[in-house]
Amino acid sequence: MQSVAVSSVLALGLSACGGAADGDDEGGAADGEAVTLSVTTFNEFGYEELFEEYEELNENITIEHNKIDTAENARDSLRNSLGAGQGASDIEPIEVDWLAEFQQYPDRFEDLTDPELEDRWLDWKYQDAVLEDGSLIGYGTDSGPQAVCYRADLFEEAGLPTDREEVAEFLGDSWEDYFAAGEEFVAESDSAWYSGSDNIWQGMINQVEVPYQDESGEIIADTNPEVKDLYDQLLKASVENELSAGLAQWSGDWSDAFQREETFATMMCPGWMLGIIEGNAAEVEGWDIANTFPGGGGNWGGSYLTVPSQGENIEQAKELAAWLTAPEQQLKAFGVVGAFPSTTEALEADELLSATNEFFNDAPTGEILAERADAVETQPLKGTEYLTINVAIQDAINRVDVDGIDDPDASWEKFVNDMEALR
């Protein structure tokens, strides 16, 4: 997991190379000339079949797919390419947690403003990518309204309800309710309530309006009582009340745990997580999804497709990025990996609202996630250091829950020191 110190070094490297890619040379192949476009994604965007479709529609286009395992590694790769002035794909993804960080370097990206497309997305999704000068750094891909995924078979073994409506009622409306339900579960099961604290933290922190940096950019993460209260509440549930399996999200142990007999029963579940669960839990029966979320609604993740200015086929890359993020393609990606759309037309489509997911017990995932999207009331203010700070506090949480090398107070003090070093 990336450290604060590494992030700082990378930031210096990017700043020191200013002007290396000014984007003055639009370049590009002549009409009809064979063109190879490179596209980077991370985790699961559900684009493999779309790439084939686009190549069939455009016989002169060949797409090379650079699929990176995690968002964090994709972010580091993009930082290194922009700092070096070379090496970036023609289309690069940016996740919302690091969007503000890359908005500091508008000269490294093409302006994707297009009057015909500006009403395509949810207003907040579009506006988050608009820079101070009115230019647009990226086209929105998915959004991340969250529900709760659960193992109905483990619930049944623990003598708890399994029907998704009854489970939603059992889980309650607040984080206190969710943790209390977990205590009831672990009292009757050898499995944990959730995989690890960092999964739960993402659900909690995305409900805080101003978590880590205020409007001026000042770091308040270690002085914000709302953040500290959530930290204490989570670690009490995870360690003292033994609700956590102690697995670091995205680790090999975490992926393997989906196949173990004694595992965990629930996960915070944005739409894009559905494909990841299905991939890790192939042939495991029992997963379902409840139409509820502790504390109300919450959005976790969602990305943008950008076109770095260092590319050689910028106009073709813009056209492909616009096509991949069109409502029709967003609906297809949702059908493949559960990437929930961010375009207004797709969100109102019968195809989405009637969608079910066979792996999740034929759950009406389209209807559930659409209702969870309506429940989202807060979009956190994510400053330029959001990802770095979030990684630091997840490290603090994992030192207690995963590694067991600190108690909550000692680990918090290390987080405070990290923030002092970052200021």
Side-chain angles (χ1 to χ4, degrees):
M1 195 167 281
Q2 186 182 6
S3 69
V4 173
V6 170
S7 297
S8 300
V9 170
L10 290 170
L12 290 171
L14 186 53
S15 300
C17 294
D22 295 327
D24 293 330
D25 183 10
E26 292 284 317
D31 289 345
E33 184 176 336
V35 172
T36 297
L37 295 175
S38 54
V39 182
T40 290
T41 65
F42 56 83
N43 292 337
E44 296 291 346
F45 274 57
Y47 282 173
E48 283 79 359
E49 293 181 8
L50 293 179
F51 290 152
E52 294 178 4
E53 181 180 345
Y54 194 80
E55 289 175 335
E56 291 176 0
L57 294 171
N58 302 272
E59 294 182 353
N60 64 317
I61 300 291
T62 299
I63 298 173
E64 292 182 348
H65 187 194
N66 176 31
K67 189 173 182 177
I68 297 179
D69 54 351
T70 68
E72 189 174 336
N73 287 337
R75 173 237 190 192
D76 290 347
S77 175
L78 179 57
R79 292 185 63 83
N80 292 335
S81 297
L82 295 184
Q86 61 182 357
S89 291
D90 293 300
I91 295 176
E92 288 278 352
I94 292 181
E95 208 267 343
V96 65
D97 285 359
W98 20 293
L99 181 62
E101 178 185 346
F102 283 92
Q103 286 175 331
Q104 299 178 98
Y105 313 105
D107 59 323
R108 309 305 175 95
F109 297 93
E110 290 300 300
D111 175 16
L112 301 184
T113 302
D114 184 338
E116 295 184 1
L117 301 181
E118 63 184 14
D119 294 328
R120 173 186 276 184
W121 292 272
L122 292 167
D123 185 61
W124 62 265
K125 183 73 177 181
Y126 183 84
Q127 291 300 327
D128 276 356
V130 175
L131 307 181
E132 291 185 1
D133 64 359
S135 61
L136 184 71
I137 194 173
Y139 291 145
T141 58
D142 59 328
S143 60
Q146 299 183 86
V148 178
C149 291
Y150 68 98
R151 284 279 300 271
D153 55 323
L154 298 181
F155 272 53
E156 183 175 16
E157 291 173 7
L160 298 175
T162 59
D163 175 82
R164 62 180 69 98
E165 292 185 4
E166 294 177 350
V167 169
E169 185 175 351
F170 171 67
L171 295 175
D173 299 322
S174 67
W175 289 105
E176 288 80 6
D177 292 340
Y178 172 73
F179 293 136
E183 291 179 44
E184 194 171 336
F185 172 82
V186 298
E188 303 294 335
S189 175
D190 292 328
S191 292
W193 186 230
Y194 45 79
S195 61
S197 297
D198 50 2
N199 176 262
I200 307 302
W201 180 256
Q202 289 300 132
M204 302 176 91
I205 200 64
N206 279 318
Q207 294 174 333
V208 179
E209 190 170 356
V210 185
Y212 298 150
Q213 290 174 273
D214 65 17
E215 290 80 358
S216 69
E218 181 180 353
I219 294 173
I220 60 170
D222 53 336
T223 59
N224 187 342
E226 198 170 0
V227 172
K228 182 61 163 57
D229 288 346
L230 293 177
Y231 172 90
D232 289 337
Q233 182 184 19
L234 175 58
L235 288 180
K236 178 180 180 182
S238 295
V239 180
E240 187 175 324
N241 297 333
E242 301 181 336
L243 301 188
S244 171
L247 299 167
Q249 194 163 235
W250 316 125
S251 66
D253 285 345
W254 178 81
S255 299
D256 293 343
F258 285 85
Q259 296 286 341
R260 293 177 191 154
E261 185 173 342
E262 294 179 7
T263 177
F264 51 87
T266 65
M267 283 192 70
M268 302 299 103
C269 212
W272 51 263
M273 188 66 86
L274 301 180
I276 293 171
I277 293 175
E278 184 173 354
N280 287 332
E283 300 183 6
V284 174
E285 297 182 356
W287 280 100
D288 208 322
I289 179 170
N291 186 0
T292 189
F293 194 73
N299 183 82
W300 178 8
S303 300
Y304 296 83
L305 297 184
T306 70
V307 177
S309 296
Q310 63 184 244
E312 295 182 354
N313 297 292
I314 287 170
E315 292 308 314
Q316 291 89 343
K318 287 181 177 179
E319 292 173 6
L320 175 56
W323 186 84
L324 286 168
T325 55
E328 298 84 355
Q329 279 62 255
Q330 289 200 346
L331 288 169
K332 293 173 184 174
F334 174 74
V336 174
V337 295
F340 198 70
S342 61
T343 59
T344 55
E345 183 179 330
L347 289 170
E348 296 171 354
D350 290 340
E351 181 180 349
L352 176 79
L353 298 176
S354 63
T356 59
N357 190 310
E358 182 179 0
F359 181 82
F360 288 86
N361 192 27
D362 292 321
T365 47
E367 179 183 353
I368 290 173
L369 292 173
E371 291 187 15
R372 300 322 310 159
D374 286 341
V376 176
E377 297 180 348
T378 300
Q379 280 295 116
L381 176 65
K382 296 185 176 181
T384 56
E385 301 292 345
Y386 182 88
L387 182 64
T388 300
I389 296 171
N390 201 45
V391 168
I393 200 165
Q394 287 186 328
D395 286 348
I397 289 168
N398 286 343
R399 282 193 294 268
V400 181
D401 181 34
V402 178
D403 304 323
I405 59 175
D406 279 329
D407 63 34
D409 290 340
S411 195
W412 178 262
E413 285 305 311
K414 291 179 180 177
F415 171 69
V416 170
N417 291 336
D418 286 343
M419 294 304 98
E420 288 297 330
L422 191 59
R423 288 189 171 97

